Amino acid sequence: MTKNSGFLDKIKLQRFFLSISNFDNQRLIFHASRQTLRKAEMARLIVHEWLEQHEAELEEWKAKTALGLGISVSELERQLLAASEEQTRAKKKD
């Protein structure tokens, strides 16, 4: 009986330590994801602010580029969006 009892206690202790390490891993993952979300939100705000400040320059660039290519601004925007989506897909494959 004592031998089995000691064995069961050892198994319970191992499970306890495994659950602690699992909890620690989950906690670390949670904190890392929160940090990532904060950084992503800060980047989004910075980019949004920059776009607002340079909107006139961007519109001028789009108009000049579209004129140079002989297409409309909306067609240029569509092509830029398609190129961006293709880059995103290529990055996901890698």
Side-chain angles (χ1 to χ4, degrees):
M1 287 291 271
T2 312
K3 202 174 198 182
N4 283 341
S5 177
F7 180 71
L8 290 175
D9 288 341
K10 187 177 178 181
I11 289 176
K12 287 178 184 177
L13 190 60
Q14 287 175 342
R15 286 185 180 165
F16 174 73
F17 282 124
L18 286 174
S19 67
I20 286 177
S21 64
N22 189 27
F23 174 75
D24 282 345
N25 288 339
Q26 289 175 351
R27 187 174 54 84
L28 290 172
I29 290 168
F30 172 73
H31 286 296
S33 67
R34 283 186 59 201
Q35 283 293 96
T36 302
L37 286 173
R38 279 193 211 118
K39 288 177 184 176
E41 180 61 16
M42 287 183 351
R44 186 191 70 77
L45 291 172
I46 290 168
V47 168
H48 186 73
E49 185 177 318
W50 186 91
L51 287 171
E52 283 182 356
Q53 291 174 356
H54 296 86
E55 185 175 1
E57 295 168 47
L58 290 169
E59 291 300 322
E60 184 180 333
W61 175 84
K62 286 192 291 187
K64 284 181 182 178
T65 304
L67 183 63
L69 294 172
I71 59 176
S72 68
V73 172
S74 61
E75 177 62 21
L76 175 66
E77 290 172 340
R78 190 192 65 71
Q79 289 180 9
L80 289 171
L81 182 60
S84 175
E85 289 172 349
E86 184 59 35
Q87 281 183 337
T88 302
R89 274 189 234 112
K91 286 180 183 178
K92 285 183 180 178
K93 286 181 182 177
D94 293 341

